[in-house]
Every structure is written in C-alpha cells, then in structure tokens.
Amino acid sequence: MQSYSIPLVPGPVSVPEAVRAAYAIDYGSADLEEEFFELYERCARKLQTVLGASAQVTIQTGEGMLALWGALKSVVRPGDRVLAVGTGLFGYGIGDMARQIGAEVEVVGFAFDRILDPQPVREAARRFRPKVVTAVHCETPSGTLNPLEELGQICQEVDALFYVDFVASGGGVPVEVDRCSIDLGLLGSQKALSLPPDLAMVTVSERAWQAVAEVNYAGYDALAPWRDGPAQRYLPYTHNWSALAGLEASLDLLLAEGMEAVYARHAAVAERCRRGLEALGIRLFPAEEAYNSPTVTAAYVPEGWSWPEFDRALRSYGMAVGGNYGELAGKVFRIGHMGSQANLALVERGLEVIRRVLAQKG
C-alpha cells in the first residue's frame, strides 16, 4: 500500500500524532466502565463548544453517513413531507435518501457551481409545508459553502425541523447550531476533526427529540437510545472507546488553539491554495470565489490532461488529492485543506508538485 507524503484529499484527512497516540492505548469495556461514560460526556460538551450548540450531542460508532441516515430515519416516516435544498451531490442525495424512506419529497435545486438562494426556499416551504427541510453546509464535491442562518429562520416560520449536513465544515468553519436554528446537525469524524472515519455525531434540539419519540424508529443508526442512554449508563451497542479518546484529543487541540484561530488558519490556507492554483493557470470551480468553502478547493482538471493522467502524475510525486462524482467526475478535482491539512507548508508543497507536473507538458 502506497503512502503519500503530501496528503491533500478532502477526507479522510491525515490523523495527527497526538490523536493517533490516543488510539494506541488498550481501554476497558465501554459497556461497563464509568471512565468511558465520563469521556463520552466530556466529548459531548466539547463538541457543543466547537459547534456553537446548546442542544444535546450524540456520538455514535460509524462513518459520517450513519449520522445522515440515522437522523433522517429517526424523524421521518413514510408520507412525511421533506423539502431538500440541493446545490450539489449531497444536497440532492439527501432528497433521494428521504424518498427511499417513503417521504414525499420536493427539491429546491440549484446548479453545482452556485450556493442556495433563500427566497425560492422560503416560497417552497410556505407552499409545501414540510416536516423537515434539509441542506448541506459544505458541498465537498463542489467546494462550496452554503449560508444557513436564513434557512433556519424559514424553518421556524413554517414549523419545520432543520436538518443540516456539516460533515465537511464542522471544526473548520463556524456552523453556529443555535444561531442558525439547526435541529439536527450532522458531523463525521474524518474531515476537520482529523480522525479516522469511525464516529458519527448529531446535535439534536428539543423539537427534534420530540419528533424522534413520535417516529420511534429502531435500528443500529437510531437516535432514540442516545437521548438517555449515556446518562443511564446503558448503550445500544459496545462503543468505540479508542475513537472517543481520539475525539477528545482532537477537540482538545482545536480548543487549545482557539476556534477563531482555527477558522482563520483554514481561511488563510484556502486563500493561498486558490491564489497558487490560479498562478499556475488552473481555473477554480466555481468561478465565484464568494461561494468557496475554507475547508476544500475545487478546480478544473488542467487543459491537456485527463483526470486519471493528472492523478497518476501527482501521485508519482507522493501527492494525493480527490477526484469527483456525478456530473463533475473527470472534470473537477479537489484539494482538501481541512483539519490537520489546513497547513500552509503542506499546501505550498502541493502547489510545487502541481507546478512540476504541469511543466511536463509545458
């Protein structure tokens, strides 16, 4: 298996040594030991601080998609109305997920190189009267960052739950769960938190807990057991103690740096990445830079190169970036500068590799 000295994929990101060390310890049984439950509670409180959330935070064993599926199935029954805001692969995809559950779904859609416009969402919400409105904060395939606060206000106006995927932004960009009136905020461990893909976290408002109780969904990914289970010292399965220890180590690094400094670091690295790509003649996606996320940069594959050819050339220098999906596959690649990879020196090394690769056809 080849390892890459310049890891710039948009997740799973590289894991810092302090976090890896937490995984290397042999722990006891998460089912039975008070020490584990105290760790769980500390992690939940620290996540509240990072995410600007007073709501309860659940921490489940599983990759980030577990949070997306579990939260949706916990509050949506067949026939319920879901309004999906789509600006990219994942936004549209959540609408597809709701359809698979049996929901009546309406999509307010936008092009992949755009961010959402609240006005058509408000018009649709007032007409459709959904139970849940879904949105994605950072659309990683498109490299875009959507505004959330006005959507939260719209949800309040129509008494809908606000479900937000901030898997690729939480911990690298302010998400402000309380200020944005987010009822279900979804986070994965493998992006800005710089962990392996083994934890799924959800902020759950009191309104959302009421819906969870009404739906009463039972399954591995269900939210219901997590409302009282940790406090009662009774979980639905054996938790990943090593991952929780790694999560606390990661959160401690963020909080020690200070969240404002963390956000400034991500913004500075993103700016350098984009200016560097432009200087090399690579076009950014989207062209409107106000839409870009501080955690990931999307750009067109350079002219004269196919994506597989470009990818192989980068990897020959020890650099790994991300390809793409759907309508952007083969056209747009992505540089992940989130979490541990929001590092100016790392991005400078990556830009130098791209310069050398492009020179091969110069």
Side-chain angles (χ1 to χ4, degrees):
M1 178 70 69
Q2 183 176 351
S3 62
Y4 295 96
S5 59
I6 308 174
L8 286 167
V9 296
V13 304
S14 57
V15 180
E17 189 56 43
V19 176
R20 294 186 188 201
Y23 277 79
I25 299 171
D26 291 325
Y27 298 98
S29 171
D31 295 294
L32 300 172
E33 300 190 33
E34 181 65 16
E35 185 181 355
F36 169 80
F37 290 101
E38 291 173 354
L39 170 65
Y40 181 99
E41 291 168 353
R42 290 197 305 273
C43 287
R45 289 195 299 270
K46 291 171 183 178
L47 281 167
Q48 287 175 315
T49 299
V50 168
L51 299 173
S54 58
Q56 183 178 352
V57 182
T58 67
I59 309 170
Q60 297 167 265
T61 297
E63 195 272 339
M65 283 301 297
L66 181 140
L68 273 69
W69 274 113
L72 201 59
K73 290 188 284 187
S74 291
V75 300
V76 173
R77 288 176 289 207
D80 285 343
R81 292 184 173 186
V82 173
L83 184 68
V85 180
T87 63
L89 184 83
F90 288 105
Y92 286 97
I94 293 169
D96 292 336
M97 291 163 60
R99 288 190 188 94
Q100 292 182 51
I101 296 172
E104 180 184 349
V105 178
E106 182 169 322
V107 175
V108 182
F110 303 87
F112 280 26
D113 61 349
R114 295 288 184 270
I115 58 173
L116 66 88
D117 176 358
Q119 188 53 36
V121 179
R122 175 174 276 108
E123 293 169 359
R126 288 174 173 174
R127 172 182 46 76
F128 188 56
R129 291 289 163 174
K131 179 181 182 180
V132 180
V133 175
T134 70
V136 174
H137 193 205
C138 174
E139 274 284 3
T140 354
S142 304
T144 53
L145 191 73
N146 278 305
L148 298 177
E149 189 169 4
E150 193 167 351
L151 285 194
Q153 294 169 359
I154 293 167
C155 291
Q156 296 289 313
E157 293 169 10
V158 301
D159 194 27
L161 295 175
F162 191 24
Y163 165 113
V164 178
D165 168 356
F166 46 66
V167 169
S169 56
V173 179
V175 294
E176 299 297 343
V177 167
D178 288 352
R179 182 171 59 81
C180 295
S181 304
I182 296 171
D183 294 291
L184 294 157
L186 320 171
L187 183 62
S189 56
Q190 72 270 28
K191 304 284 189 176
L193 295 182
S194 305
L195 294 162
D198 49 17
L199 292 176
M201 294 142 278
V202 184
T203 66
V204 190
S205 72
E206 186 56 37
R207 293 199 318 149
W209 279 127
Q210 292 172 13
V212 169
E214 292 166 3
V215 171
N216 198 28
Y217 166 66
Y220 179 86
D221 55 354
L223 288 177
W226 299 90
R227 181 166 199 180
D228 301 316
Q232 294 177 352
R233 301 327 195 220
Y234 188 80
L235 300 182
Y237 50 71
T238 301
H239 213 301
N240 188 335
W241 193 327
S242 296
L244 261 290
L247 174 61
E248 183 171 49
S250 172
L251 293 170
D252 285 346
L253 289 174
L254 291 177
L255 294 171
E257 182 178 356
M259 294 313 299
E260 292 305 318
V262 169
Y263 302 146
R265 170 166 56 86
H266 280 77
V269 172
E271 171 72 13
R272 176 66 192 110
C273 181
R274 289 167 190 146
R275 298 292 77 78
L277 290 175
E278 287 179 329
L280 293 170
I282 294 177
R283 293 187 299 134
L284 301 179
F285 181 95
E288 180 57 64
E289 194 159 349
Y291 300 164
N292 294 150
S293 171
T295 57
V296 59
T297 290
Y300 288 97
V301 174
E303 291 187 17
W305 293 81
S306 69
W307 162 244
E309 181 187 20
F310 187 57
D311 185 40
R312 283 195 302 270
L314 296 179
R315 289 173 187 268
S316 72
Y317 284 92
M319 179 179 176
V321 299
N324 225 310
Y325 312 95
E327 66 181 59
L328 301 182
K331 303 174 185 176
V332 172
F333 73 99
R334 299 166 298 149
I335 294 176
H337 37 70
M338 58 186 70
S340 62
Q341 295 172 188
N343 180 298
L344 278 173
L346 179 64
V347 167
E348 291 288 2
R349 290 170 62 201
L351 290 170
E352 175 59 20
V353 166
I354 294 174
R355 185 191 67 76
R356 293 182 182 181
V357 165
L358 294 180
Q360 294 175 9
K361 288 191 177 183

